[in-house]
Amino acid sequence: MMPDYYKAKLAADETLTVLAEEKKDFGYIVLRPGNLSDEPESGKVVMGKTPARGQVTRGDVAEVAARLLEREGARGWFDLLGGDADLGAEVDRVVKEKVDSREGESLDVMKKDLKL
């Protein structure tokens, strides 16, 4: 079941990215969290380009998503794991630094895969 979920999420992420990149004034976020845990929200995360593996609480993912959506200028792909940094400070940092974890992912390949 999970491989099907991952394929569907990737297709949705790529479609959103292609459409948003073609319309430069459209803000979008794609969260790529690590393994989700049911532990209580910690308020401590690492965002942007993260280590390859790790966990993050579902509550922290929801809080990061809400804060990113509220922020002017938030756009791109964000890797997200549980970490040591304050959640609000990490959101501020990735927006201010214009961090985008999509680096290395080709927009042209996405368009081709989506047949756009």
Side-chain angles (χ1 to χ4, degrees):
M1 182 168 114
M2 289 309 281
D4 291 335
Y5 164 81
Y6 291 127
K7 288 177 190 174
K9 181 179 183 328
L10 180 59
D13 292 348
E14 289 181 347
T15 300
L16 177 63
T17 300
V18 168
L19 296 174
E21 290 296 327
E22 289 179 348
K23 183 176 171 95
K24 294 293 184 191
D25 62 343
F26 179 78
Y28 73 103
I29 64 166
V30 172
L31 286 179
R32 299 191 302 182
N35 292 331
L36 299 175
S37 80
D38 292 323
E39 299 297 318
E41 184 176 337
S42 71
K44 300 289 185 183
V45 298
V46 61
M47 292 180 64
K49 298 170 186 159
T50 64
R53 297 183 189 266
Q55 291 189 335
V56 63
T57 70
R58 294 174 194 276
D60 286 329
V61 173
E63 184 65 24
V64 165
R67 289 188 186 209
L68 282 170
L69 290 169
E70 292 174 344
R71 290 293 305 268
E72 184 72 32
R75 85 190 307 267
W77 292 29
F78 303 96
D79 292 342
L80 172 62
L81 295 174
D84 296 325
D86 175 75
L87 185 147
E90 277 293 271
V91 169
D92 290 343
R93 181 186 66 79
V94 297
V95 172
K96 180 181 177 184
E97 295 176 6
K98 298 185 185 323
V99 171
D100 189 345
S101 302
R102 184 174 60 95
E103 184 178 294
E105 305 281 346
S106 168
L107 198 59
D108 290 333
V109 170
M110 289 181 196
K111 287 179 183 179
K112 182 180 171 203
D113 289 348
L114 299 171
K115 297 172 181 52
L116 295 176

